PDB file of all heavy atoms in Angstrom:
ATOM      1  N   HIS A  70      10.476  -9.744 -30.711  1.00 93.00           N
ATOM      2  CA  HIS A  70      10.036  -9.540 -29.325  1.00 93.00           C
ATOM      3  C   HIS A  70       9.163 -10.716 -28.912  1.00 93.00           C
ATOM      4  O   HIS A  70       8.216 -11.054 -29.610  1.00 93.00           O
ATOM      5  CB  HIS A  70       9.271  -8.220 -29.165  1.00 93.00           C
ATOM      6  CG  HIS A  70       9.226  -7.757 -27.729  1.00 93.00           C
ATOM      7  ND1 HIS A  70       8.630  -8.497 -26.740  1.00 93.00           N
ATOM      8  CD2 HIS A  70       9.741  -6.664 -27.118  1.00 93.00           C
ATOM      9  CE1 HIS A  70       8.762  -7.861 -25.584  1.00 93.00           C
ATOM     10  NE2 HIS A  70       9.433  -6.753 -25.785  1.00 93.00           N
ATOM     11  N   ARG A  72       7.345 -11.028 -26.124  1.00 90.00           N
ATOM     12  CA  ARG A  72       6.176 -10.674 -25.301  1.00 90.00           C
ATOM     13  C   ARG A  72       5.921 -11.763 -24.252  1.00 90.00           C
ATOM     14  O   ARG A  72       6.783 -12.053 -23.465  1.00 90.00           O
ATOM     15  CB  ARG A  72       4.947 -10.450 -26.181  1.00 90.00           C
ATOM     16  CG  ARG A  72       5.045  -9.185 -27.008  1.00 90.00           C
ATOM     17  CD  ARG A  72       4.769  -7.935 -26.203  1.00 90.00           C
ATOM     18  NE  ARG A  72       4.709  -6.771 -27.071  1.00 90.00           N
ATOM     19  CZ  ARG A  72       3.586  -6.190 -27.458  1.00 90.00           C
ATOM     20  NH1 ARG A  72       2.433  -6.662 -27.047  1.00 90.00           N
ATOM     21  NH2 ARG A  72       3.609  -5.143 -28.249  1.00 90.00           N
ATOM     22  N   LEU A 109       1.274 -12.711 -29.206  1.00 90.00           N
ATOM     23  CA  LEU A 109       1.422 -11.299 -28.848  1.00 90.00           C
ATOM     24  C   LEU A 109       2.783 -10.764 -29.297  1.00 90.00           C
ATOM     25  O   LEU A 109       2.964  -9.560 -29.446  1.00 90.00           O
ATOM     26  CB  LEU A 109       1.268 -11.115 -27.334  1.00 90.00           C
ATOM     27  CG  LEU A 109      -0.134 -11.347 -26.771  1.00 90.00           C
ATOM     28  CD1 LEU A 109      -0.104 -11.398 -25.249  1.00 90.00           C
ATOM     29  CD2 LEU A 109      -1.083 -10.257 -27.226  1.00 90.00           C
ATOM     30  N   TYR A 233       7.304 -13.809  -5.976  1.00 91.00           N
ATOM     31  CA  TYR A 233       6.421 -13.904  -7.145  1.00 91.00           C
ATOM     32  C   TYR A 233       5.764 -15.287  -7.200  1.00 91.00           C
ATOM     33  O   TYR A 233       6.447 -16.309  -7.162  1.00 91.00           O
ATOM     34  CB  TYR A 233       7.171 -13.625  -8.455  1.00 91.00           C
ATOM     35  CG  TYR A 233       6.203 -13.564  -9.617  1.00 91.00           C
ATOM     36  CD1 TYR A 233       5.570 -12.385  -9.958  1.00 91.00           C
ATOM     37  CD2 TYR A 233       5.866 -14.725 -10.310  1.00 91.00           C
ATOM     38  CE1 TYR A 233       4.640 -12.341 -10.983  1.00 91.00           C
ATOM     39  CE2 TYR A 233       4.926 -14.695 -11.339  1.00 91.00           C
ATOM     40  CZ  TYR A 233       4.324 -13.493 -11.659  1.00 91.00           C
ATOM     41  OH  TYR A 233       3.393 -13.457 -12.662  1.00 91.00           O
ATOM     42  N   ARG A 249      -0.762 -10.769  -2.308  1.00 90.00           N
ATOM     43  CA  ARG A 249      -0.862 -10.416  -3.727  1.00 90.00           C
ATOM     44  C   ARG A 249      -1.831  -9.246  -3.862  1.00 90.00           C
ATOM     45  O   ARG A 249      -2.936  -9.293  -3.327  1.00 90.00           O
ATOM     46  CB  ARG A 249      -1.387 -11.591  -4.551  1.00 90.00           C
ATOM     47  CG  ARG A 249      -1.673 -11.245  -6.006  1.00 90.00           C
ATOM     48  CD  ARG A 249      -2.341 -12.408  -6.732  1.00 90.00           C
ATOM     49  NE  ARG A 249      -2.698 -12.056  -8.095  1.00 90.00           N
ATOM     50  CZ  ARG A 249      -3.853 -11.479  -8.453  1.00 90.00           C
ATOM     51  NH1 ARG A 249      -4.748 -11.196  -7.534  1.00 90.00           N
ATOM     52  NH2 ARG A 249      -4.092 -11.188  -9.714  1.00 90.00           N
TER      53      ARG A 249
ATOM     54  P    DA C   8      -4.233 -12.360 -12.677  1.00 69.25           P
ATOM     55  OP1  DA C   8      -3.700 -12.691 -11.341  1.00 69.25           O
ATOM     56  OP2  DA C   8      -4.762 -11.011 -12.961  1.00 69.25           O
ATOM     57  O5'  DA C   8      -3.117 -12.678 -13.766  1.00 69.25           O
ATOM     58  C5'  DA C   8      -2.366 -13.872 -13.666  1.00 69.25           C
ATOM     59  C4'  DA C   8      -1.615 -14.096 -14.952  1.00 69.25           C
ATOM     60  O4'  DA C   8      -2.546 -14.473 -15.966  1.00 69.25           O
ATOM     61  C3'  DA C   8      -0.947 -12.838 -15.489  1.00 69.25           C
ATOM     62  O3'  DA C   8       0.352 -12.713 -14.925  1.00 69.25           O
ATOM     63  C2'  DA C   8      -0.879 -13.124 -16.985  1.00 69.25           C
ATOM     64  C1'  DA C   8      -2.020 -14.117 -17.229  1.00 69.25           C
ATOM     65  N9   DA C   8      -3.127 -13.591 -18.023  1.00 69.25           N
ATOM     66  C8   DA C   8      -3.852 -12.447 -17.798  1.00 69.25           C
ATOM     67  N7   DA C   8      -4.790 -12.238 -18.683  1.00 69.25           N
ATOM     68  C5   DA C   8      -4.682 -13.306 -19.542  1.00 69.25           C
ATOM     69  C6   DA C   8      -5.392 -13.677 -20.706  1.00 69.25           C
ATOM     70  N6   DA C   8      -6.390 -12.976 -21.215  1.00 69.25           N
ATOM     71  N1   DA C   8      -5.006 -14.813 -21.334  1.00 69.25           N
ATOM     72  C2   DA C   8      -4.005 -15.521 -20.841  1.00 69.25           C
ATOM     73  N3   DA C   8      -3.261 -15.275 -19.761  1.00 69.25           N
ATOM     74  C4   DA C   8      -3.665 -14.140 -19.154  1.00 69.25           C
ATOM     75  P    DG C   9       0.824 -11.249 -14.446  1.00 69.25           P
ATOM     76  OP1  DG C   9       1.978 -11.530 -13.582  1.00 69.25           O
ATOM     77  OP2  DG C   9      -0.315 -10.463 -13.938  1.00 69.25           O
ATOM     78  O5'  DG C   9       1.299 -10.578 -15.801  1.00 69.25           O
ATOM     79  C5'  DG C   9       2.398 -11.139 -16.509  1.00 69.25           C
ATOM     80  C4'  DG C   9       2.618 -10.347 -17.768  1.00 69.25           C
ATOM     81  O4'  DG C   9       1.477 -10.486 -18.635  1.00 69.25           O
ATOM     82  C3'  DG C   9       2.785  -8.846 -17.557  1.00 69.25           C
ATOM     83  O3'  DG C   9       3.673  -8.345 -18.530  1.00 69.25           O
ATOM     84  C2'  DG C   9       1.397  -8.310 -17.825  1.00 69.25           C
ATOM     85  C1'  DG C   9       0.986  -9.210 -18.966  1.00 69.25           C
ATOM     86  N9   DG C   9      -0.448  -9.344 -19.182  1.00 69.25           N
ATOM     87  C8   DG C   9      -1.435  -9.258 -18.239  1.00 69.25           C
ATOM     88  N7   DG C   9      -2.631  -9.460 -18.737  1.00 69.25           N
ATOM     89  C5   DG C   9      -2.417  -9.692 -20.091  1.00 69.25           C
ATOM     90  C6   DG C   9      -3.327  -9.958 -21.147  1.00 69.25           C
ATOM     91  O6   DG C   9      -4.548 -10.060 -21.070  1.00 69.25           O
ATOM     92  N1   DG C   9      -2.681 -10.131 -22.353  1.00 69.25           N
ATOM     93  C2   DG C   9      -1.330 -10.052 -22.541  1.00 69.25           C
ATOM     94  N2   DG C   9      -0.874 -10.246 -23.777  1.00 69.25           N
ATOM     95  N3   DG C   9      -0.464  -9.798 -21.567  1.00 69.25           N
ATOM     96  C4   DG C   9      -1.074  -9.630 -20.379  1.00 69.25           C
ATOM     97  P    DG C  10       5.218  -8.145 -18.169  1.00 69.25           P
ATOM     98  OP1  DG C  10       5.777  -9.476 -17.901  1.00 69.25           O
ATOM     99  OP2  DG C  10       5.387  -7.063 -17.183  1.00 69.25           O
ATOM    100  O5'  DG C  10       5.763  -7.600 -19.551  1.00 69.25           O
ATOM    101  C5'  DG C  10       6.092  -8.498 -20.590  1.00 69.25           C
ATOM    102  C4'  DG C  10       6.157  -7.743 -21.903  1.00 69.25           C
ATOM    103  O4'  DG C  10       4.822  -7.651 -22.464  1.00 69.25           O
ATOM    104  C3'  DG C  10       6.662  -6.314 -21.796  1.00 69.25           C
ATOM    105  O3'  DG C  10       7.511  -6.079 -22.912  1.00 69.25           O
ATOM    106  C2'  DG C  10       5.414  -5.447 -21.804  1.00 69.25           C
ATOM    107  C1'  DG C  10       4.425  -6.292 -22.598  1.00 69.25           C
ATOM    108  N9   DG C  10       3.044  -6.243 -22.122  1.00 69.25           N
ATOM    109  C8   DG C  10       2.603  -6.079 -20.840  1.00 69.25           C
ATOM    110  N7   DG C  10       1.298  -6.130 -20.730  1.00 69.25           N
ATOM    111  C5   DG C  10       0.857  -6.341 -22.027  1.00 69.25           C
ATOM    112  C6   DG C  10      -0.455  -6.486 -22.539  1.00 69.25           C
ATOM    113  O6   DG C  10      -1.528  -6.455 -21.927  1.00 69.25           O
ATOM    114  N1   DG C  10      -0.455  -6.683 -23.915  1.00 69.25           N
ATOM    115  C2   DG C  10       0.673  -6.735 -24.693  1.00 69.25           C
ATOM    116  N2   DG C  10       0.483  -6.942 -25.998  1.00 69.25           N
ATOM    117  N3   DG C  10       1.907  -6.614 -24.240  1.00 69.25           N
ATOM    118  C4   DG C  10       1.918  -6.409 -22.904  1.00 69.25           C
ATOM    119  P    DA C  11       8.317  -4.728 -23.006  1.00 69.25           P
ATOM    120  OP1  DA C  11       9.539  -5.085 -23.720  1.00 69.25           O
ATOM    121  OP2  DA C  11       8.380  -4.084 -21.693  1.00 69.25           O
ATOM    122  O5'  DA C  11       7.451  -3.825 -23.979  1.00 69.25           O
ATOM    123  C5'  DA C  11       7.363  -4.218 -25.337  1.00 69.25           C
ATOM    124  C4'  DA C  11       6.275  -3.440 -26.027  1.00 69.25           C
ATOM    125  O4'  DA C  11       5.013  -3.679 -25.384  1.00 69.25           O
ATOM    126  C3'  DA C  11       6.484  -1.917 -26.023  1.00 69.25           C
ATOM    127  O3'  DA C  11       6.464  -1.495 -27.371  1.00 69.25           O
ATOM    128  C2'  DA C  11       5.303  -1.373 -25.218  1.00 69.25           C
ATOM    129  C1'  DA C  11       4.272  -2.485 -25.396  1.00 69.25           C
ATOM    130  N9   DA C  11       3.297  -2.569 -24.319  1.00 69.25           N
ATOM    131  C8   DA C  11       3.510  -2.487 -22.976  1.00 69.25           C
ATOM    132  N7   DA C  11       2.417  -2.613 -22.254  1.00 69.25           N
ATOM    133  C5   DA C  11       1.414  -2.796 -23.195  1.00 69.25           C
ATOM    134  C6   DA C  11       0.030  -2.991 -23.071  1.00 69.25           C
ATOM    135  N6   DA C  11      -0.612  -3.037 -21.908  1.00 69.25           N
ATOM    136  N1   DA C  11      -0.678  -3.152 -24.219  1.00 69.25           N
ATOM    137  C2   DA C  11      -0.029  -3.105 -25.390  1.00 69.25           C
ATOM    138  N3   DA C  11       1.266  -2.927 -25.625  1.00 69.25           N
ATOM    139  C4   DA C  11       1.940  -2.774 -24.468  1.00 69.25           C
ATOM    140  P    DG C  13       2.405   3.557 -31.060  1.00 69.25           P
ATOM    141  OP1  DG C  13       2.928   3.316 -32.408  1.00 69.25           O
ATOM    142  OP2  DG C  13       3.065   4.531 -30.171  1.00 69.25           O
ATOM    143  O5'  DG C  13       0.870   3.929 -31.146  1.00 69.25           O
ATOM    144  C5'  DG C  13      -0.091   2.919 -31.456  1.00 69.25           C
ATOM    145  C4'  DG C  13      -1.426   3.312 -30.889  1.00 69.25           C
ATOM    146  O4'  DG C  13      -1.469   2.928 -29.488  1.00 69.25           O
ATOM    147  C3'  DG C  13      -1.695   4.819 -30.945  1.00 69.25           C
ATOM    148  O3'  DG C  13      -2.950   5.071 -31.572  1.00 69.25           O
ATOM    149  C2'  DG C  13      -1.680   5.269 -29.490  1.00 69.25           C
ATOM    150  C1'  DG C  13      -2.002   3.992 -28.723  1.00 69.25           C
ATOM    151  N9   DG C  13      -1.371   3.946 -27.412  1.00 69.25           N
ATOM    152  C8   DG C  13      -0.033   4.103 -27.127  1.00 69.25           C
ATOM    153  N7   DG C  13       0.238   4.015 -25.857  1.00 69.25           N
ATOM    154  C5   DG C  13      -1.008   3.794 -25.254  1.00 69.25           C
ATOM    155  C6   DG C  13      -1.353   3.623 -23.889  1.00 69.25           C
ATOM    156  O6   DG C  13      -0.597   3.633 -22.900  1.00 69.25           O
ATOM    157  N1   DG C  13      -2.719   3.431 -23.725  1.00 69.25           N
ATOM    158  C2   DG C  13      -3.634   3.407 -24.738  1.00 69.25           C
ATOM    159  N2   DG C  13      -4.900   3.224 -24.390  1.00 69.25           N
ATOM    160  N3   DG C  13      -3.325   3.562 -26.014  1.00 69.25           N
ATOM    161  C4   DG C  13      -2.003   3.745 -26.207  1.00 69.25           C
TER     162       DG C  13
END
Side-chain angles (χ1 to χ4, degrees):
Chain A
H70 200 299
R72 290 283 187 102
L109 291 169
Y233 187 87
R249 173 186 176 273

